[in-house]
Amino acid sequence: MNKTTADSSHDAPDFTPTRSLRFAAQATGAYRRIFAASPAAHILSRPSPVRYSGFDMTLDVKSVRSECDDVLSVTLTPREGITLPSWIPGAHLDIFLPSGRQRQYSLCGDPDDLSSYRIAVRRIDEGGGGSREIHESLKPGMVVDVRGPRNAFPFVAAPSYLFVAGGIGITPLLPMVQRCHRRGIPWRLDYLGRTRTAMPFLDEIEEYSSGRVTIRPDDELGPTDIETLVAAADPGAAVYTCGPAPLMNMVRAATFAGNPTGSVHSERFSPLPVVDGKEFTVHLARTGLTVDVGESESALAAIRRALPGVAYSCQQGFCGTCKVRVLSGSVDHRDTLLTESERADSMLTCRSRSTGASLVVDL
């Protein structure tokens, strides 16, 4: 997805710069520990990661193609001697851009074709610069460093599927549609967008004729009745949705109300909202600055006011990019990544908070 998750980007909103990382993939392929989500619960909103082995790789940019207004697809191929790791629908790549920015984008190619990976990126001019860098600078023949694939949006077994996509949210759902089509599993896709010219992969979707596809541009059909849309799902169907947060919230609510035997699964492009937050302060030991964290904002957001270049990526507590060492204070850990031993002296600033009035961190 354009993740992060994002834009899970994932790039809507755009994820902001991290430290400069360069990974050279060797032909022998040294493995690093990375993380993926466990099987989904009834609703997938905060994935529970499990460890698995995957690659840090340097891949070649084979092609950069315009898919619609403001959306490019990027096809990446392995260098000589490297075999691309397999992946299942819903997976994403961490992309390390030449500037040092780190972003997460859903894989939207063919899971059965390991000769290449494909991602899609919507340009977000008011974001942190990652999507603009890709649109303006990434060219065929260049190389990019990647990590993954990782999966926080796993494709679970179900008797049938309803897919509800909003704009660039089609990217993680497209491989799911393809898999249903190839395996003869009943499925429907409702694809929403502002206009047809803002909806990527329309031509490709037409190739999957085994299910029912409804294209719903707002300028042609007006607002979509989500309750009616979800009510048409088969009993027991798995409902997968990705797109703007208001759309996903409506799909979840309608599924719970109208299809209690089914399940609903979603992937966010934006940070999770702060729930039951209280104000506290974070003292940055190395820089000597103290920042106030509001009750409805993350520690990461507050820290970035003082240190705009601080590392982060997913903003949802599962990638670990924003991990910092805690020197003093008690942490309310809200991530889904750190082990208990790691939580003794570390936190993920994108999600976790203080249980008291202040924290001191190694920044």
Side-chain angles (χ1 to χ4, degrees):
M1 195 183 312
N2 165 358
K3 202 307 217 143
T4 228
T5 349
D7 199 359
S8 298
S9 34
H10 298 324
D11 208 25
D14 213 8
F15 291 110
T16 291
T18 81
R19 61 188 178 276
S20 179
L21 293 175
R22 306 299 296 169
F23 296 106
Q26 304 299 323
T28 54
Y31 284 92
R32 296 175 184 262
R33 286 193 314 170
I34 56 179
F35 300 89
S38 64
H42 182 66
I43 175 171
L44 181 66
S45 58
R46 291 183 63 189
S48 300
V50 295
R51 300 172 189 267
Y52 81 106
S53 292
F55 277 114
D56 290 337
M57 298 175 289
T58 298
L59 301 181
D60 293 318
V61 178
K62 179 181 180 181
S63 65
V64 179
R65 171 181 168 178
S66 175
E67 298 294 345
C68 71
D69 293 347
D70 296 329
V71 176
L72 295 178
S73 66
V74 180
T75 300
L76 305 171
T77 55
R79 316 201 83 181
E80 185 177 356
I82 295 176
T83 299
L84 293 179
S86 61
W87 58 283
I88 63 172
H92 69 267
L93 288 180
D94 294 354
I95 306 292
F96 299 91
L97 297 172
S99 65
R101 295 181 174 97
Q102 178 183 344
R103 301 294 184 266
Q104 297 175 328
Y105 297 102
S106 298
L107 286 166
C108 59
D110 183 352
D112 296 327
D113 179 6
L114 295 182
S115 65
S116 65
Y117 288 152
R118 184 179 67 173
I119 60 172
V121 182
R122 182 180 293 282
R123 182 178 178 124
I124 308 294
D125 285 326
E126 66 274 18
S131 66
R132 294 197 306 275
E133 181 175 354
I134 288 176
H135 275 250
E136 295 173 2
S137 303
L138 208 62
K139 306 296 181 184
M142 297 177 65
V143 299
V144 292
D145 297 324
V146 308
R147 176 177 297 159
R150 303 196 286 178
N151 202 320
F153 193 33
F155 190 43
V156 301
S160 63
Y161 296 86
L162 168 64
F163 303 107
V164 183
I168 195 64
I170 190 63
T171 53
L173 304 184
L174 194 57
M176 299 181 186
V177 167
Q178 182 186 79
R179 180 143 295 182
C180 288
H181 172 72
R182 289 180 175 174
R183 297 186 177 182
I185 304 170
W187 62 277
R188 289 183 49 200
L189 168 65
D190 287 273
Y191 186 9
L192 288 63
R194 299 186 307 276
T195 65
R196 288 181 184 269
T197 60
M199 300 169 71
F201 303 117
L202 287 177
D203 291 343
E204 189 168 324
I205 289 167
E206 292 179 356
E207 300 175 8
Y208 306 126
S209 58
S210 61
R212 177 180 173 183
V213 176
T214 305
I215 307 300
R216 300 178 180 272
D218 291 342
D219 65 336
E220 296 178 20
L221 302 178
T224 298
D225 184 340
I226 299 299
E227 291 186 0
T228 300
L229 182 156
V230 172
D234 296 335
V239 179
Y240 276 80
T241 181
C242 189
L247 170 64
M248 294 191 295
N249 291 339
M250 288 189 288
V251 171
R252 285 195 290 265
T255 302
F256 291 139
N259 191 1
T261 62
S263 62
V264 60
H265 312 268
S266 61
E267 183 171 48
R268 299 179 64 91
F269 291 155
S270 57
L272 293 169
V274 176
V275 177
D276 298 328
K278 296 180 180 180
E279 294 182 358
F280 64 100
T281 63
V282 177
H283 180 68
L284 311 180
R286 277 187 276 157
T287 54
L289 301 174
T290 298
V291 297
D292 296 321
V293 182
E295 62 182 16
S296 62
E297 70 175 341
S298 67
L300 172 65
I303 290 169
R304 289 192 64 245
R305 290 198 295 270
L307 300 177
V310 70
Y312 80 93
S313 185
C314 78
Q315 302 184 87
Q316 298 180 48
F318 69 82
C319 80
T321 303
C322 66
K323 178 181 175 181
V324 298
R325 191 159 64 97
V326 179
L327 304 178
S328 178
S330 177
V331 179
D332 173 14
H333 291 284
R334 301 187 177 192
D335 67 276
T336 58
L337 176 67
L338 298 182
T339 65
E340 288 305 313
S341 62
E342 290 171 325
R343 289 180 174 183
D345 63 358
S346 299
M347 68 179 289
L348 301 190
T349 59
C350 70
R351 294 289 296 139
S352 298
R353 308 179 65 79
S354 175
T355 61
S358 64
L359 292 172
V360 179
V361 300
D362 186 21
L363 283 173

